[in-house]
Amino acid sequence: MTIHCPQCNAQDIIKSGFAKNRQRFKCKQCNYQFTSFSKERGKPLWMKLEAVLMYMSGMSMNATAKILGVSAQSVLNWVRDFGEANYEKPTPESAVVVELDELWHFIQEKKNKLWVWKAYDRNTGRLIDWELGSRDSRTLGHLLERLSQWQITVYCTDNWKPYQQLLENHPDAFHVISKKETIAIERNNSDNRHWFARFHRRTKVVSKSKHMVDLSMALFAKFRVNGSIELLRNWRLTLLS
């Protein structure tokens, strides 16, 4: 039987004495020492990735946990860790037309409203930034402050007052107020609600922390808007083969 290193999966293994009367081995690739009775701790990587894929396909963490036979807390930990490792936003560059809109959400209960302000680049079809907070000028201001690093020519929004207050006399970009010019980001909002259970309009899935909402937005942007989830599916299949 071929012995593999549990650390790096290499096969270049040599004997390295005994530990508690058990043969000990040493990996010549990474110098990791182990016994032939060593057991891998925790769940396999493919299962963790499967949980993330289920989460990004509209399933709740509780439902995912039941299918995989693990705890909901384990699924939460896996999704959180994966989200933090893959948290990124596009690097500022030029963007001719950017659509802005806000997505309604809540924390714990519906009276604790949380708004997700989003910036969508119409030309590239990318979600370039987002901000979580209240539906006011202060939250929008945080988003616009970061967007100032982009070379934006036109902002397209609806007629919500904060947009008018902060963009009416914008020195570098033209402001267009029209529902007809925010169709793309409205479609993006629909995708947002479709692919993540926590964003469904009518759901028993409840967000309990702002941090997890932010990580969910990062996963949505990277794998459902700006990139492809097929990369993760192929990686999972490789681990199973």
Side-chain angles (χ1 to χ4, degrees):
M1 182 181 68
T2 303
I3 300 177
H4 296 262
C5 173
Q7 187 78 5
C8 67
N9 203 38
Q11 298 182 28
D12 194 3
I13 307 298
I14 59 174
K15 292 182 178 180
S16 182
F18 290 85
K20 296 182 179 180
N21 296 322
R22 295 176 179 176
Q23 180 65 60
R24 185 170 58 186
F25 298 91
K26 179 179 180 180
C27 175
K28 296 181 69 175
Q29 295 292 328
C30 66
N31 294 322
Y32 182 73
Q33 296 190 19
F34 61 97
T35 70
S36 57
F37 295 93
S38 296
K39 295 183 179 179
E40 182 180 355
R41 299 183 61 184
K43 299 299 181 181
L45 181 57
W46 70 262
M47 181 179 289
K48 297 177 182 180
L49 188 57
E50 183 77 12
V52 174
L53 284 168
M54 289 181 177
Y55 178 72
M56 287 194 287
S57 298
M59 292 188 63
S60 68
M61 292 184 179
N62 284 329
T64 299
K66 289 181 180 179
I67 292 175
L68 296 180
V70 298
S71 68
Q73 183 62 49
S74 293
V75 175
L76 171 63
N77 293 340
W78 299 342
V79 172
R80 182 193 60 213
D81 293 345
F82 187 83
E84 290 175 345
N86 288 274
Y87 192 101
E88 62 183 40
K89 294 180 179 180
T91 303
E93 52 187 65
S94 61
V96 180
V97 180
V98 170
E99 299 181 22
L100 301 179
D101 198 20
E102 66 280 1
L103 180 74
W104 178 79
H105 195 51
F106 62 92
I107 299 293
Q108 296 282 1
E109 50 188 340
K110 291 187 177 180
K111 68 178 181 180
N112 296 328
K113 295 182 178 180
L114 178 70
W115 293 86
V116 183
W117 296 75
K118 301 163 66 175
Y120 183 86
D121 184 351
R122 182 187 294 180
N123 294 344
T124 63
R126 293 184 302 169
L127 189 61
I128 60 176
D129 208 341
W130 60 88
E131 179 72 23
L132 308 184
S134 301
R135 199 185 187 195
D136 55 14
S137 298
R138 180 179 180 181
T139 306
L140 175 59
H142 294 320
L143 177 60
L144 293 178
E145 184 177 355
R146 291 196 302 274
L147 290 177
S148 64
Q149 302 176 50
W150 291 72
Q151 299 175 26
I152 299 174
T153 304
V154 180
Y155 283 106
C156 296
T157 74
D158 56 25
N159 61 355
W160 184 239
K161 289 184 178 179
Y163 294 125
Q164 300 180 40
Q165 295 171 355
L166 298 183
L167 292 173
E168 184 176 0
N169 298 313
H170 197 284
D172 302 315
F174 186 67
H175 181 205
V176 176
I177 302 176
S178 174
K179 278 284 188 179
K180 295 181 180 180
E181 299 298 335
T182 58
I183 295 176
I185 195 170
E186 291 287 359
R187 187 184 303 114
N188 183 267
N189 289 342
S190 178
D191 291 341
N192 213 154
R193 295 193 185 281
H194 175 76
W195 288 118
F196 288 81
R198 69 173 66 238
F199 292 113
H200 293 177
R201 288 187 178 275
R202 295 181 180 180
T203 180
K204 293 183 179 180
V205 182
V206 178
S207 294
K208 296 182 179 180
S209 75
K210 186 176 177 180
H211 181 56
M212 280 304 300
V213 177
D214 191 35
L215 292 179
S216 297
M217 286 301 305
L219 293 175
F220 172 67
K222 183 171 182 177
F223 295 104
R224 284 296 185 184
V225 186
N226 304 342
S228 174
I229 200 171
E230 293 302 321
L231 296 174
L232 296 183
R233 291 199 178 107
N234 293 337
W235 183 24
R236 177 200 54 186
L237 291 175
T238 300
L239 293 172
L240 287 172
S241 61

